[in-house]
Amino acid sequence: MKTLVPAVAVWGRTAPSHSITAVMITDDQQTIVTGSQEGQICLWDFSSDLQISSKEILFGHTASVTCLAKARE
């Protein structure tokens, strides 16, 4: 049985200035993490009513972020 997942835009009226190359959702499904071609990692708050708001952006990578993974506890 396939589960339908609705498409969600992670920006408002204007697309972000970075090209998203990787996406990860945390286990609690409250945070979306995106990696970009420009080397940025963005954290987004994701609410149960499908509202997304920016949380923070991390800089410092010198290459594209093409993969995201969570660390074990």
Side-chain angles (χ1 to χ4, degrees), residues 21 35-41 60-66:
T21 53
S36 75
Q37 186 173 355
E38 294 76 18
Q40 303 162 348
I41 296 175
H61 288 86
T62 57
S64 297
V65 177
T66 58

Side-chain angles (χ1 to χ4, degrees), residues 4-39:
L4 297 177
V5 178
V8 177
V10 292
W11 54 83
R13 294 177 163 248
T14 307
S17 60
H18 59 274
S19 304
I20 294 174
T21 53
V23 177
M24 183 185 77
I25 300 176
T26 58
D27 288 339
D28 63 7
Q29 298 181 346
Q30 294 182 355
T31 303
I32 297 174
V33 183
T34 59
S36 75
Q37 186 173 355
E38 294 76 18

Side-chain angles (χ1 to χ4, degrees), residues 1 8 13 16-17 19 23 26 37 41 46 49-52 54 59 63 67 69:
M1 175 187 232
V8 177
R13 294 177 163 248
S17 60
S19 304
V23 177
T26 58
Q37 186 173 355
I41 296 175
F46 185 54
D49 60 346
L50 302 180
Q51 296 296 314
I52 298 173
S54 59
F59 297 92
C67 182

